[in-house]
Amino acid sequence: MILVIVCFFYGFAHHLFPKNIAFIVCCVNYVLDSIISLASMASKVYVQDISDNKEEMRATISTGISVNHMITIFIALFGGVIWQKLGIETLFIVSAVLGLCNSTYAATIKTSTKTVTAQERN
């Protein structure tokens, strides 16, 4: 939900607030956006927890990084076209929808019922 709020205020702060307040709102958004970016660390910890061995963990994390990099490049290009053709508001609405889709999918991931100690992982 934080991502939806961040996207909303990035896209519409300049319509909702005077220029000086909109700037402060965008600065707060930047901090919140940076906090959201830390979630990648949580996914690595999750992969470590559910992996059966180090090789599986490395392969999964490496594949995830590669896929994220590819998607980031394509989204940046596509986002630039949306911004240019449809405006910044549409870009951040699409971003919020993608964030909701990602969260919905993440909610379907089953959690591990086993508890693995650090020694077992190594």
Side-chain angles (χ1 to χ4, degrees):
M1 292 311 301
I2 293 173
L3 180 61
V4 173
I5 292 166
V6 166
C7 288
F8 174 78
F9 282 116
Y10 268 146
F12 294 95
H14 64 290
H15 291 299
L16 299 172
F17 304 104
K19 194 175 191 176
N20 58 337
I21 302 297
F23 176 76
I24 293 169
V25 168
C26 287
C27 290
V28 170
N29 271 356
Y30 180 79
V31 171
L32 291 173
D33 196 21
S34 295
I35 291 169
I36 293 169
S37 296
L38 294 174
S40 66
M41 283 195 302
S43 66
K44 289 176 185 167
V45 170
Y46 177 73
V47 167
Q48 287 175 343
D49 188 46
I50 65 171
S51 296
D52 291 330
N53 54 54
K54 280 188 174 186
E55 290 77 29
E56 180 184 22
M57 178 193 66
R58 286 185 192 126
T60 302
I61 290 173
S62 148
T63 301
I65 290 170
S66 297
V67 169
N68 281 343
H69 184 70
M70 267 189 342
I71 290 171
T72 300
I73 290 169
F74 287 116
I75 289 290
L77 292 171
F78 187 59
V81 171
I82 291 174
W83 188 335
Q84 184 179 24
K85 303 283 183 190
L86 303 173
I88 194 170
E89 299 84 2
T90 304
L91 174 64
F92 282 107
I93 288 170
V94 170
S95 297
V97 169
L98 288 173
L100 286 174
C101 291
N102 188 30
S103 295
T104 302
Y105 177 74
T108 67
I109 297 173
K110 294 181 180 161
T111 57
S112 174
T113 56
K114 66 178 184 175
T115 302
V116 179
T117 65
Q119 276 185 326
E120 291 173 328
R121 269 197 302 270
N122 298 327

